[in-house]
Amino acid sequence: MTQTKIEKSAQDRVLIFDTTLRDGEQSPGATMSHAEKLEIAALLDEMGVDIIEAGFPIASDGDFEAVSAIAGLAKSSVICGLARANFKDIDRCWEAIKHAHHPRIHTFIGTSPLHRDITKLSQDDMIARIHDTVSYARNLCDNVQWSPMDATRTEHDYLCRVVETAIKAGASTINIPDTVGYTAPAESAALISMLLERVPGADSIIFATHCHNDLGMATANALAAVGAGARQIECTINGLGERAGNTALEEVVMALRVRNDIMPYQTGIDTTKIMKASRLVATVSGFPVQFNKAIVGKNAFLHESGIHQDGVLKNAETFEIMRPADIGLTETNLVMGKHSGRAALRSKLSDLGFDLADNQLNDVFVRFKALADRKKEIYDDDLIALMQDSATNAQNDTLQITHLRVVCGTEGPQTADLTMTVDGSVHQVSATGDGPVDACFKAVQMVFPHTARLQLYQVHAVTEGTDAQATVSVRMEEDGKIVTGQSADTDTVVASARAYVNALNKLIFRRLRSAPNADVKSVNYRDASTS
Ligand code: KIV
Ligand code: ZN
C-alpha cells in the first residue's frame, strides 16, 4: 500500500518528509509532551505531509509511546520511526509503527571516515552490517529507508558502495544527510547526480535530501538536490532542529510553489495550514520564530516603507511574491475588546488557525475577558500570545502559581509573596531579591528547590503601547537537560514568574520521562548484536 502511494507520486511529485518530532525535538530545550506530539502529528497528517518521522522508539519509553500513538492516529501519512543499525533498535522501531496504515523503518549508520573511526568498523565490516540490518528491516516492513549519516563528508567511492548495498538489501528510499550542514548547493546537486549515475539500481529507488542549516544553506541545498533528481525533502516546521536547525518545510514548499516556473515539482502540502503549524510548533517547542524568518516570521508580509505600502495597496504583486492567505495568514487585524462576544472570539481564533472545542473556547473566553479588562484593544498578536499561554500553562501542571504580589521600587529590597501548589498541595512563601523578577524566582526556588541553572531570560512586547502584553521566555539547564518556558501577561513580573514555573514543569516532565536508552548520535553496538 505504502509502496504504491510513493511509486505513483515519485515521478512528478517531491515527497515531504517531516522530522519535526524526531530531528526537531532533538534540539536542546525543544522537549514536547506526549499530547503535544500527537497534536503536531495530527496537523502534519491533515496538511498533507507524505511521511512523518514520529520519533526514535528505542531512545526512551516516552518516545516509543509517542511513536506508537502517532502510528495509530495518522490517516494518510506514512509513519516512520528511526533505528540505528542494529537488530534491537529495528525491532523496537517496528514494534512502535507496525500498526500504522503506512509504516516505514528508517535505519542509519555514520559512513564518513570520522564516523567509521568512532564505530571502529572497517569499510568491509560496515558494508556487511548495512546489508544485514537493512535486510532484517526489510523482512519486517516493506518500506525501508536507509541513511549514510554524514554522507556529504563520505568518500564518493565508498558512498556508492554503501548505497548500492542498501538498495540490494531492500531499501526503497536512500536519504543523503548533510549532517553537519557542510555542503553547498552546487555540491549537493552534484552528489545526487553522481549517485544516480554511478550506483546500480539507483533509478529504482527514491533519493531523499536531509540538510542542516549550519551555514544557512539548508533550503538552497535541498532544492539543488531536487533539481538533480532527489524526490524527497526532509524538513521541519520553522526549521526546528539541533544547532542551526534543519531545512524549513515552509521554505521549500513555498519556494517550489512560487518558483514552479523554474522548479516544476509538486508537493501535496495544503499551504494554508503552514501558519497554523508554525504557531503550534513555536508554542510547544518554546522556540519563538525570528521576526524576519522567511515565510512565517512576523515581518514576512509587513511593509514599513511608504513606497512599499503604496505599491502593495495599489497592486499586492508589486512587492509580494505570494499572498498572506496562501500560508493561512489572515489579512485583517480586526481589533477586539471587552464587548466582543464568544462568537466573535471563536471566529477570530478560527481565522488565526485555532479551532477550539466548546469547553476550550469557554476557558479561553474567560482569559480573553480578563485580558480585555486590563487592555483596551486586543490585536491578533494578543490572541496568539493568549493561546500560546493557555497551551504552555496547563491546568494539570505539577507546579501552579495561584497568587503573586510583588513590592518593588526605588527603596529595596524587592519582595515577592507567592502562593503556589505543588501537586495540589498549597505552599506560601515570601522572598526578597535583587529586583522583582529575582525575588519571584527565589520564592519559586523556596517552594520547589532545584539545581536548574537559568541560561536565558528574555522579554518582548507583543504589541505597541504601555499596556502591551509582555512575552517572557526562559531557558534552564539541569544535568545537561535543557528546557524552555514561556508566558505572556500585561504584568511583566507575573509573566516572568509563570515562564519560570513553565520551564520547571517541563523539567519535571523530562525527569519523569523514562530514562533514555539511547542517544540518536551515539552509535553504540554493544547493546545489540547484528550477528
Ligand atoms: O542529520 C542526520 O544525519 C540525521 C540522520 C539520523 C538521518 O538526522
Ligand atoms: Zn539530521
Side-chain angles (χ1 to χ4, degrees), residues 26 35 73 88 135 144 147 178 208 211 231 233 357 412 467 488:
Q26 251 169 260
L73 75 78
K88 197 173 158 190
S135 316
V144 174
S147 295
D178 182 28
C211 302
R231 286 292 175 270
I233 299 180
D467 67 346

Side-chain angles (χ1 to χ4, degrees), residues 277-353:
S278 167
R279 286 183 185 134
L280 179 63
V281 169
T283 303
V284 307
S285 65
F287 276 55
V289 175
Q290 78 193 48
F291 281 16
N292 59 340
K293 163 87 180 59
I295 319 293
V296 291
K298 197 176 153 98
N299 293 356
F301 290 93
L302 269 191
H303 300 278
E304 283 286 344
S305 99
I307 299 170
H308 280 214
Q309 280 177 353
D310 189 45
V312 169
L313 286 174
K314 287 189 179 127
N315 178 357
E317 282 179 27
T318 321
F319 287 104
E320 281 182 0
I321 55 168
M322 54 201 150
R323 289 167 305 157
D326 296 342
I327 58 157
L329 194 62
T330 47
E331 284 174 88
T332 60
N333 194 4
L334 204 81
V335 182
M336 304 205 40
K338 68 174 171 192
H339 298 299
S340 306
R342 205 176 290 255
L345 179 66
R346 184 196 283 276
S347 141
K348 183 80 224 173
L349 288 174
S350 164
D351 283 351
L352 292 173

Side-chain angles (χ1 to χ4, degrees), residues 343-366:
L345 179 66
R346 184 196 283 276
S347 141
K348 183 80 224 173
L349 288 174
S350 164
D351 283 351
L352 292 173
F354 301 101
D355 296 313
L356 303 186
D358 284 347
N359 60 336
Q360 290 172 303
L361 181 70
N362 290 343
D363 181 44
V364 171
F365 191 64
V366 171

Side-chain angles (χ1 to χ4, degrees), residues 387-435:
M387 288 306 297
Q388 293 181 335
D389 198 53
S390 310
T392 46
N393 295 285
Q395 276 163 3
N396 55 357
D397 282 344
T398 311
L399 308 177
Q400 311 224 6
I401 293 179
T402 49
H403 169 88
L404 177 65
R405 174 163 296 278
V406 181
V407 178
C408 64
T410 49
E411 318 307 322
Q414 285 74 24
T415 317
D417 294 326
L418 173 75
T419 310
M420 249 177 85
T421 56
V422 180
D423 258 337
S425 67
V426 182
H427 299 257
Q428 233 173 335
V429 292
S430 195
T432 55
D434 200 359

Side-chain angles (χ1 to χ4, degrees), residues 10-83:
Q11 304 311 314
D12 53 351
R13 269 237 283 130
V14 169
L15 299 167
I16 296 297
F17 176 109
D18 182 281
T19 183
T20 306
L21 298 171
R22 199 280 296 168
D23 218 336
E25 212 232 1
Q26 251 169 260
S27 183
T31 320
M32 301 168 193
S33 72
H34 183 87
E36 289 165 345
K37 287 184 182 178
L38 265 51
E39 196 181 346
I40 292 176
L43 180 55
L44 296 175
D45 188 31
E46 191 186 311
M47 73 193 276
V49 164
D50 297 284
I51 305 110
I52 300 174
E53 188 162 52
F56 183 31
I58 202 151
S60 71
D61 292 341
D63 273 58
F64 179 89
E65 300 301 339
V67 176
S68 174
I70 291 167
L73 75 78
K75 293 194 179 78
S76 54
S77 305
V78 172
I79 299 302
C80 175
L82 185 69

